[in-house]
Amino acid sequence: MRLAACLALLASPATASSGEAWAQFRVEVAAACLALVEGPGTATIEVNPFGSESYGVALVTLSSGDEADRMICVYDKASRRAELSAPFGE
């Protein structure tokens, strides 16, 4: 009987965050990542909708003229700090 109760708890859906909370999360990730971008050009940020369990993730593209650099931004959900990778080479 205890095994059945444990299995029932494991099978129940996890409590999900609201759509509004996820939207706010994406705004926070984008702002934190944008603050790290340096250099001339226009930055575009594509935030993964949910990230991983511990991190938010975004693809950052810095465009200047005919050139574009792509970088990954990782946002720690616990500390709310972001880090930006070096640009990917072509």
Side-chain angles (χ1 to χ4, degrees), residues 4-78:
C6 288
L7 290 175
L9 285 175
L10 291 174
S12 65
T15 303
S17 293
S18 70
E20 186 176 308
W22 283 117
Q24 180 61 33
F25 164 73
R26 289 187 284 276
V27 168
E28 289 176 13
V29 172
C33 293
L34 185 59
L36 298 175
V37 176
E38 296 179 356
T42 302
T44 57
I45 299 176
E46 183 180 352
V47 177
N48 181 277
F50 308 106
S52 69
E53 185 174 335
S54 301
Y55 300 98
V57 183
L59 175 63
V60 179
T61 304
L62 182 60
S63 301
S64 179
D66 292 339
E67 297 183 21
D69 285 326
R70 293 172 298 139
M71 299 159 275
I72 300 295
C73 181
V74 179
Y75 176 87
D76 187 310
K77 290 178 178 179

